[in-house]
């Protein structure tokens, strides 16, 4: 599907500094407008069990969103970033059918706005801040701890749909609000050095309540008639709240709630999301997911029986409504030869079929010190697929 459309290109140059959101305004902005005839097309359709959205391409290129790379500066755990992005498309699929809607990174909240929205509110310096103003206390650490920052990142996705004229138009917006369950901060001294890292835990109910309040403000700002000439008032806006994990976590965070603001309306009702990741083996998994833990330990025992030396097998299980949906297993080995890797991969494929239910998605990554050796994938109710890296 290829379509041509006349567009106005707006080129902006915005200078920001530092790794964290800052209050400094752009030093220079250059705007150039010119008429371009632009080819709009879709990425090729590939049949996969995940049924991923097809992406919108402009002149054969993938259009990066306004907030590209911003999450790396404000979210500590890369696993959180990956789950936020991929999980947000999964939530979107419940509102925008992947067979008729097409994906584009966010273009309506610009980078400068993301920066100011994530900062603390200040009546004069930053009235757009979505995080609360500093609290009470004699010292800065006291003020930070008494009123922590709740939101760390805003991720916007756009979903386009074909209209009656055969052109693509905006069909909906999905916003992910990434929230802290642990707020980290450091105090900067006059000599330019920093204090140790302070940690402020935020209980889940407080985090969700504050996230919902922030969501109301984000929808109101997007619905502003001065933004995009009021166009965003005519499409649904889906908001999802994501709870980040702690910095050192080896499993990602999770979505905890979502809501939709129908065209021209604000958010009326929130729906809780019951999902979670568990690390195998771990005390938490042993206590709360005993059956799946026993299956994992049986697989690990079989794997270690294949080798003369111990292999440290680790798994990450994804749960929805307390049911295991997907299990990813990492198996680091000492490489002795490719034929051994082939035999070992065949062995694992057989064992996962015998050990785990057929409706469970499984992914096993076999690695050596130098490289990825093989991957074994078993989609629900299918035979395992093995790929040996050469």
């Amino acid at each position: 599907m290829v379509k041509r459309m006349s567009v106005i290109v707006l080129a902006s140059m915005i200078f920001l500094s530092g790794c964290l959101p800052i209050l400094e305004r752009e030093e220079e902005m250059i705007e150039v407008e010119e008429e371009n005839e632009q080819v709009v097309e879709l990425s090729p359709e590939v049949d996969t069990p995940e049924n991923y959205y097809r992406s919108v391409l402009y002149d054969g290129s993938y259009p990066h969103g306004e907030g590209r790379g911003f999450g790396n500066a404000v979210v500590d755990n890369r696993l959180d970033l990956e789950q936020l992005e991929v999980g947000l498309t999964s939530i979107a699929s419940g509102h925008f059918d992947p067979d008729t809607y097409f994906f584009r990174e966010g273009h309506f909240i610009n980078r400068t706005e993301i920066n100011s929205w994530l900062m603390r509110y200040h009546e004069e310096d930053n009235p757009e801040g979505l995080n609360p103003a500093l609290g009470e206390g004699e010292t800065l650490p006291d003020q930070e701890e008494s009123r922590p920052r709740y939101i760390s990142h805003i991720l916007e996705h756009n979903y386009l749909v074909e209209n009656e004229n055969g052109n693509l138009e905006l069909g909906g917006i999905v916003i992910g609000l990434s929230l802290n369950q642990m707020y980290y901060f450091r105090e900067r001294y006059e000599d330019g050095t920093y204090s140790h890292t302070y940690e402020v835990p935020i209980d889940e109910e407080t985090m969700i309540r504050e996230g919902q309040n922030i969501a109301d403000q984000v929808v109101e700002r997007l619905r502003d008639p001065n933004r995009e000439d009021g166009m965003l008032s005519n499409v649904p806006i889906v908001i999802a709240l994501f709870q980040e994990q702690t910095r050192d976590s080896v499993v990602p965070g999770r979505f905890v709630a979502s809501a939709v603001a129908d065209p021209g309306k604000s958010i009326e009702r929130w729906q809780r999301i019951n999902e979670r990741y568990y690390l195998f083996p771990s005390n938490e998994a042993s206590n709360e997911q005993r059956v799946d833990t026993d299956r994992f330990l049986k697989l690990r025992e079989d794997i270690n029986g294949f080798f003369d030396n111990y292999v440290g097998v680790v798994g990450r299980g994804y749960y929805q409504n307390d049911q295991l949906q997907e299990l990813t297993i990492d198996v680091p080995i000492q490489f002795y030869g490719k034929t051994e890797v082939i035999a070992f991969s065949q062995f694992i494929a057989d064992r996962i079929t015998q050990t785990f239910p057929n409706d469970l998605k499984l992914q096993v990554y076999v690695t050596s010190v130098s490289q990825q050796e093989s991957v074994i994938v078993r989609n629900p109710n299918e035979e395992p697929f093995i790929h040996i890296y050469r």
Side-chain angles (χ1 to χ4, degrees), residues 95-341:
H95 303 272
F96 309 113
D97 186 351
D99 291 331
T100 54
Y101 285 82
F102 311 107
F103 173 83
R104 185 184 70 183
E105 290 188 13
H107 279 65
F108 300 114
I109 307 175
N110 67 49
R111 194 176 183 85
T112 303
E113 285 180 313
I114 295 175
N115 183 68
S116 63
W117 290 9
L118 293 179
M119 292 299 300
R120 287 188 178 277
Y121 171 84
H122 190 281
E123 185 175 2
E124 296 179 357
D125 295 334
N126 193 42
E128 297 297 306
L130 291 173
N131 273 304
L134 287 170
E136 297 180 352
E138 295 183 0
T139 67
L140 180 60
D142 290 339
Q143 295 168 8
E144 290 274 6
E145 290 183 8
S146 67
R147 195 172 291 171
R149 299 191 194 199
Y150 298 107
I151 182 170
S152 69
H153 187 37
I154 299 172
L155 181 63
E156 176 195 354
H157 286 170
N158 301 157
Y159 291 89
L160 280 63
V161 65
E162 188 174 352
N163 61 23
E164 58 185 13
N165 297 320
N167 297 317
L168 294 180
E169 66 179 15
L170 183 67
I173 297 174
V174 179
I175 302 291
L177 303 181
S178 191
L179 305 170
N180 295 315
Q181 70 161 299
M182 182 73 73
Y183 172 48
Y184 300 95
F185 72 93
R186 292 191 299 169
E187 183 179 12
R188 183 174 181 175
Y189 301 128
E190 292 182 358
D191 62 1
T193 60
Y194 287 88
S195 69
H196 69 279
T197 300
Y198 294 87
E199 299 180 355
V200 183
I202 302 173
D203 71 86
E204 185 172 311
E205 291 305 314
T206 299
M207 180 201 70
I208 291 176
R209 183 182 66 249
E210 295 295 334
Q212 290 172 344
N213 291 335
I214 291 171
D216 289 334
Q217 297 180 65
V218 170
V219 170
E220 182 179 359
R221 294 177 185 186
L222 291 176
R223 297 281 198 222
D224 190 321
N226 294 319
R227 184 185 294 270
E228 304 295 329
D229 296 324
M231 179 184 69
L232 305 188
S233 293
N234 302 321
V235 298
I237 299 175
V238 177
I239 301 278
L241 305 183
F242 181 81
Q243 181 186 45
E244 296 177 14
Q245 270 285 8
T246 53
R247 284 181 172 178
D248 57 352
S249 175
V250 294
V251 295
R254 62 195 181 99
F255 286 94
V256 294
S258 68
V260 58
D262 291 322
K265 297 182 179 180
S266 57
I267 296 172
E268 296 181 354
R269 182 174 60 87
W270 284 91
Q271 180 178 357
R272 288 294 184 99
I273 299 174
N274 182 6
E275 67 172 22
R276 186 171 181 178
Y277 279 88
Y278 285 90
L279 175 69
F280 293 98
S282 68
N283 291 333
E284 196 172 35
S286 296
N287 294 332
E288 300 179 19
Q289 303 296 341
R290 186 70 250 178
V291 173
D292 294 326
T293 296
D294 289 343
R295 288 171 175 157
F296 176 84
L297 294 177
K298 176 64 170 63
L299 177 66
R300 187 178 69 168
E301 181 182 348
D302 291 342
I303 288 174
N304 277 288
F306 187 90
F307 292 100
D308 295 333
N309 56 318
Y310 176 78
V311 178
V313 184
V314 176
R316 295 180 301 279
Y318 173 65
Y319 286 76
Q320 282 184 335
N321 299 319
D322 300 318
Q323 296 295 317
L324 181 59
Q325 304 294 318
E326 183 175 344
L327 180 61
T328 300
I329 300 172
D330 294 314
V331 185
I333 64 170
Q334 187 169 350
F335 178 76
Y336 291 108
K338 216 63 180 178
T339 55
E340 183 176 75
V341 170

Side-chain angles (χ1 to χ4, degrees), residues 9 23 32 52 75 143 174 284-285 292 295 323 332 359 365:
V9 177
L23 282 176
V32 180
Y52 292 120
V75 178
Q143 295 168 8
V174 179
E284 196 172 35
D292 294 326
R295 288 171 175 157
Q323 296 295 317
D359 59 354
Y365 297 95

